């Protein structure tokens, strides 16, 4: 009986748990050639991948507001994800499945191969807009 209870408790403990994939080394920052980002200051950030998801860390001393993430495919398709704010030193997880085109088409890694992740945000309350991009 005790063995059965121990096995049941172990099964319940592991139900719904999945092993998280280790995060990659920081991805390499790249310049953004898109004219929409021309003249913006650089965000201080670190971006890593964990499986299909992205870990974005605000490495600055100021919070970011109105954060926009863009997965660019090199073609006409862009997939976006919005965050309200990211505190100084905070890391947020952007699940690839949460990105969508402006028309509402969800990102599907089996169909689209993004080559760049672009982060843009207002730095501090009323501050300048900054940008940070990495090659995927």
């Amino acid at each position: 009986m005790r063995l059965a209870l121990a096995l049941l408790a172990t099964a319940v403990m592991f139900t719904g748990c999945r092993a998280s994939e280790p995060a990659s080394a920081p991805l390499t920052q790249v310049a953004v050639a898109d004219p929409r980002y021309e003249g913006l200051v650089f965000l201080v950030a670190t971006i890593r991948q964990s499986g299909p998801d992205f870990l974005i860390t605000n490495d600055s001393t100021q919070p970011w507001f109105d954060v926009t993430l863009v997965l660019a495919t090199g073609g006409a398709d862009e997939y976006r994800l919005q965050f309200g704010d990211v505190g100084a030193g905070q890391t947020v997880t952007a699940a690839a499945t949460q990105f969508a085109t402006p028309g509402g088409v969800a990102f599907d890694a089996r169909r689209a191969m993004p080559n760049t992740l672009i982060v843009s945000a207002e730095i501090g309350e009323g501050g300048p807009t900054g940008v940070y991009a990495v090659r995927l």
Side-chain angles (χ1 to χ4, degrees):
M1 180 69 167
R2 287 185 185 175
L3 178 59
L5 286 175
L7 289 173
L8 178 62
T10 303
V12 169
M13 185 172 60
F14 288 108
T15 301
C17 294
R18 66 178 182 140
S20 61
E21 296 187 38
S24 70
L27 299 174
T28 304
Q29 183 179 11
V30 295
V32 181
D34 189 317
R36 294 177 290 179
Y37 302 103
E38 189 174 317
L40 299 182
V41 300
F42 290 108
L43 293 174
V44 181
T46 302
I47 300 177
R48 291 179 164 81
Q49 268 191 285
S50 178
D53 303 332
F54 301 96
L55 305 173
I56 296 102
T57 302
N58 174 353
D59 290 329
S60 73
T61 59
Q62 295 288 318
W64 298 341
F65 297 98
D66 194 24
V67 181
T68 301
L69 308 176
V70 176
L71 280 176
T73 62
D77 291 332
E78 284 188 346
Y79 299 88
R80 296 177 172 272
L81 178 61
Q82 295 284 136
F83 282 98
D85 62 301
V86 177
Q90 182 181 1
T91 298
V92 294
T93 301
T97 57
Q98 294 177 314
F99 285 82
T101 65
V105 177
F107 175 73
D108 183 350
R110 295 170 297 182
R111 292 186 158 166
M113 181 59 79
N115 57 17
T116 307
L117 174 65
I118 303 167
V119 179
S120 62
E122 180 182 316
I123 303 169
E125 191 73 41
T129 300
V131 65
Y132 189 89
V134 295
R135 181 80 53 214
L136 302 176

